[in-house]
Amino acid sequence: MSGTRTLVSPATLARPRGRAVYWTVFTGVLALFTLAFLFPVYWMVTGAMKSPDEVARTPPALLPRHWRLGGYTDAWELMQLPQHLWNTVVQAAGAWLCQLVFCTAAAYALSRLRPVFGGVILGGILATLMVPAQALVVPKYLTVADLPLLHISLLNDPLAIWLPAVANAFNLYLLKRFFDQIPRDVLEAAEIDGAGRLRTLWSIVLPMSRPVLGVVSIFALVAVWQDFLWPLMVFSDTDRQPISVALVQLSQNIRLTVLVAAMVIASVPMVALFLVFQRHIIAGISAGSSKG
């Protein structure tokens, strides 16, 4: 049985000089990566507390001369952030729920029900990943502007965000791959106990799929929260626009520090969501890399 090969041999780490060099390099690299990731966040948060002259100064000022919180309060009031944040929450929550329900059902059907031509259907779904998202904007707009058969317009309606979000090939494939890895013995035991397909999905498959459902949820929420082009096209009514569009539409006569403060406030929900569910995200990613 061969030993594990690493960049630094155990013999080197056994010597005091080798350990000192190793930990020095490790600490330096870790500090460098931490600075690279956290400095932009620090710069954005403190930028809202500076005066406009300090933000535009060259060389830039690392610390505000006077710590001002007025930028955040002005952004909250002048840019109508509560209303636009609520619009974003409604659109993201509806898209998340629709995507979770329909993608889970479709993935379970392709994975366990084995429909006729299931492989062809899955291949067609995955083929949509090769099409640039910008190429689908015009067909989607024409569809929501005049819904086939019903002939109604979904413009300025959250359904224009919810329904297109359901067709997410990547999340569907992620769920299917996870369902494929569920031991068949568990499903057969549920079938012997008299559980039907729907009862097996609800009582057996979904509780075991919490990690991957957490990952899919994060992907679904972030995709809607940061989307700009599609909400800009379907929401001409300013009062119904999400935060991503409102920040651009209302930034014409707004001070730079107020705009930076608005961007900080808009990013807080997604950062908080990741910090709360980071364990589930990591568990879902690691669960997808192992079988059985």
Side-chain angles (χ1 to χ4, degrees):
M1 181 177 179
S2 59
T4 302
R5 301 183 63 181
T6 60
L7 293 175
V8 183
S9 64
T12 302
L13 289 177
R15 295 194 294 267
R17 179 181 176 84
R19 286 197 302 270
V21 172
Y22 171 80
W23 284 110
T24 301
V25 173
F26 177 79
T27 304
V29 172
L30 182 63
L32 187 62
F33 273 89
T34 303
L35 182 64
F37 282 99
L38 294 184
F39 182 76
V41 178
Y42 164 80
W43 188 259
M44 185 170 64
V45 172
T46 57
M49 301 180 185
K50 300 175 182 177
S51 64
D53 294 336
E54 287 178 311
V55 175
R57 179 183 301 171
T58 303
L62 292 178
L63 292 173
R65 180 176 299 177
H66 302 288
W67 296 84
R68 304 178 179 90
L69 295 177
Y72 290 101
T73 57
D74 290 344
W76 187 261
E77 297 173 359
L78 296 178
M79 302 191 73
Q80 303 174 357
L81 291 187
Q83 179 179 355
H84 295 294
L85 283 172
W86 175 249
N87 293 340
T88 311
V89 169
V90 171
Q91 295 168 20
W96 162 76
L97 182 60
C98 292
Q99 191 172 141
L100 211 61
V101 171
F102 290 102
C103 283
T104 300
Y108 180 72
L110 291 172
S111 175
R112 294 300 174 183
L113 302 186
R114 311 283 179 167
V116 180
F117 302 116
V120 176
I121 295 173
L122 180 62
I125 293 174
L126 295 181
T128 61
L129 294 175
M130 307 301 172
V131 182
Q134 293 78 5
L136 301 175
V137 169
V138 174
K140 285 199 304 182
Y141 182 82
L142 295 177
T143 301
V144 300
D146 185 14
L147 202 63
L149 300 179
L150 299 179
H151 298 292
I152 60 175
S153 175
L154 297 181
L155 298 180
N156 291 313
D157 193 300
L159 285 172
I161 301 294
W162 298 352
L163 297 183
V166 173
N168 191 302
F170 177 77
N171 285 345
L172 189 149
Y173 180 71
L174 195 65
L175 287 165
K176 180 188 177 301
R177 289 293 299 167
F178 189 91
F179 293 159
D180 289 342
Q181 296 172 4
I182 296 178
R184 189 170 185 83
D185 297 342
V186 176
L187 302 180
E188 290 177 350
E191 186 177 352
I192 293 173
D193 290 339
R197 300 290 189 180
L198 185 60
R199 179 62 183 273
T200 301
L201 172 64
W202 181 260
S203 301
I204 305 297
V205 176
L206 290 183
M208 296 178 65
S209 305
R210 288 177 183 174
V212 72
L213 291 177
V215 174
V216 169
S217 299
I218 293 295
F219 288 163
L221 292 172
V222 171
V224 175
W225 198 275
Q226 69 180 6
D227 194 11
F228 172 76
L229 179 59
W230 181 244
L232 177 65
M233 295 181 64
V234 299
F235 288 106
S236 58
D237 187 354
T238 307
D239 293 336
R240 295 176 178 269
Q241 289 175 345
I243 191 69
S244 59
V245 178
L247 288 179
V248 178
Q249 299 284 60
L250 301 177
S251 63
Q252 303 300 324
N253 300 317
I254 298 295
R255 298 196 315 271
L256 180 58
T257 53
V258 176
L259 181 59
V260 173
M263 289 189 291
V264 173
I265 296 174
S267 62
V268 166
M270 287 295 99
V271 174
L273 186 69
F274 173 78
L275 293 177
V276 171
F277 294 102
Q278 60 178 328
R279 295 176 59 185
H280 298 279
I281 297 172
I282 296 173
I285 294 174
S286 61
S289 64
S290 59
K291 187 171 183 178

